[in-house]
Amino acid sequence: MRKSKAVVYPAGTVAGYGHIFSLGVAGIPIVALNPKECANFKSRYVKECYVVPDPIYDHEAFVNWLIKFGQRQLNKPVLFLAEDLYAYIVSLYQDHLREFYFYPYIESERLNPFFNKKPMIQAAVKAGLNVPDTLFSPLESQQVNNWDIFPAILKPLISRFNFNGKKLVDVLKFPAIFGGKAIQVNNTKELAKAISKLKKENIDFCVQRLIEGENRNIVNIKFVTAIDNSIPSCFISRKIRQYPADFGTCTVAQAVYISELQDYTERFCRFTKYIGPAGMEFKWNQDDGKWYFIEINPRLDFWIRMSTLKGVNLPLQQYLLSTDQKMLTQKQVNNGKYWIDIEGDLKGYKWRKSNKRWSITIFQFLKPYIFFNEAVLNKKDPLPGLKKYLQRVMQKIPFVTFSRKVFTWISNCRNTAGYILSRKAPLIEYSDYDDYWEKRKKLGNDCVVYPRFLMALKYLKKHDQVLDYGCGSGEFLRFLQQNGYKNLLGADVYRATEFPENITFYHVNEIPEKIKFDAITLLQVAEHVQDAEELIGNLLCLTDILIVSVPNAGYWQHRMRLLFGRVPVTDVIFHMKEHVRLWTKKDFVDMCRHYGWQIKSLQATVPQGSFLAYRMPGFFAKQIIYVLTKL
């Protein structure tokens, strides 16, 4: 039975395409999801494709989208998540998703051994696997000074993301600080310095003995365990190259079956009672001739298409497991073909040229290209690969780049002329507040980090109690959460359906009078209120800092529009009645002087910065943000 659709996220990655190809050749209808349009949407195997909310910015909106899609299906779809963060989110929200999707959910109380390296490594030791010497944070200074195993490796306990309950605390913080998912330290001084940075950023970490050796000493076993924790079929391959070469993602791989690694993997899965898809990494130690457990990732990843080409279709195995069908016993075929992600491999070659420890000759680089399968490009399904690499090539041609810039400039001029001369004021009606936000989402305005969010962030401290007045569906509050703010409140005339559950919500008429907020934000709200002066005055009684952003009616396009007989429609609005007040920069400044409000700061809000907008916001800024206090 293969009637259930396979829902793949993120479809735009190499791992996503591996799932699409593997499930497609097995005759399973595929729904491709991605946070933006991608080349893999063009695959012959994709029956439906959708741009969905990005879980990194708003995982609740992503889960809600999945639920709404699942409710519309005649047969319950099967979920496929190609990265750790998304697999973790699905396990966290399994109570919401289980009714609508098949998936080998990991019970919440058993998540840690598969995502957190501390319980993961402890479980591997108890299962009898060899593990490199490791220390876990928090560490006392004495422990750091006593560590004498160098070179060592320092890495976060949870790679690439961190949750507190269902709250996403940070994403990619470790790579942002150190430039990679792990770093090498060669002495106690380097170790102490790196640990100091991690403590400052409140990142849990581990220090581990580095098993030295080439990339080819790293072997990955990919599998899907059955309900009895056995492994009916697995695929084993070694890394030939990765990017970055020290601690990176595989770019060239080769199939190589090693029976003892299947035994080690099954031992770990039986001990932890793991069921579902995963990849486990081992590294061969040349000094003692042993395999050492490195980590487990509870999902199928980058080079999964290679396993299908070698006779082991693991996405199909996950599909059969999820839909309670009998899993297949498949045998791995080894031959001389390599699997190569050309784009990643070229980046890796460039990286190696600037890192002598990992440098290779041009012959060594080209050798795998004599006989290989590309990660995406293939004759059975050519469009995704052709589109992907055609886009990359076109970006490198100067004439094409110049032509694209000219075309963009002409398009912008045309849109500007249309706005000034002919565009009518919008008349999009909405029946209620939920309908309002739904229509905003259809126009692509959900899960967006607006420039005003970034501007407001400059004036807020992480320990501040912040009230977002006119919070809508909580977009700005979610953004603050993702940046580490904890004491957050929202107020509006109506609680939107998708408002974050873990943030306090007040109706605008029910805000306690005795509360004093460290800061209040009023972002794109005042123009919707008839008595804006009264509102601003009342809010300034509750705080010392009020951050207000409003559209600038004096923007040059609005002035030109009025000159040609059109009403100045400030910014994107959804109905003529939405904006009931208009201010130019001078109007707003005069209003503040009249009521005795001090303007501490006044700046244009623009996406990437504009010299003219910053120098002359009254004429060149679409929106202006004001920071107000009482005199």
Side-chain angles (χ1 to χ4, degrees), residues 473-500:
S473 59
E475 293 167 306
F476 179 58
L477 294 169
R478 288 191 188 91
F479 172 74
L480 290 177
Q481 269 192 333
Q482 291 155 13
N483 282 276
Y485 291 79
K486 298 179 180 179
N487 201 356
L488 303 174
L489 307 95
D492 212 309
V493 295
Y494 182 84
R495 183 186 175 106
T497 304
E498 297 181 6
F499 189 83

Side-chain angles (χ1 to χ4, degrees), residues 105-121:
Y105 301 97
I106 302 174
E107 297 301 326
S108 299
E109 60 272 15
R110 295 197 301 111
L111 279 177
N112 275 343
F114 313 112
F115 289 96
N116 188 310
K117 289 181 178 60
K118 183 174 183 179
M120 180 193 299
I121 289 173

Side-chain angles (χ1 to χ4, degrees), residues 48-109:
E48 301 175 52
C49 55
Y50 300 96
V51 174
V52 299
D54 191 334
I56 290 177
Y57 294 111
D58 194 340
H59 55 276
E60 291 182 348
F62 174 70
V63 170
N64 289 331
W65 190 97
L66 287 177
I67 292 172
K68 289 177 182 178
F69 179 81
Q71 288 172 335
R72 301 196 301 266
Q73 307 309 307
L74 293 176
N75 297 299
K76 189 188 292 189
V78 184
L79 266 181
F80 290 85
L81 291 312
E83 292 185 18
D84 288 349
L85 171 61
Y86 315 130
Y88 191 88
I89 289 170
V90 165
S91 291
L92 280 181
Y93 287 87
Q94 58 185 280
D95 293 340
H96 301 77
L97 293 168
R98 196 186 295 272
E99 181 183 350
F100 306 104
Y101 290 92
F102 292 118
Y103 185 77
Y105 301 97
I106 302 174
E107 297 301 326
S108 299
E109 60 272 15

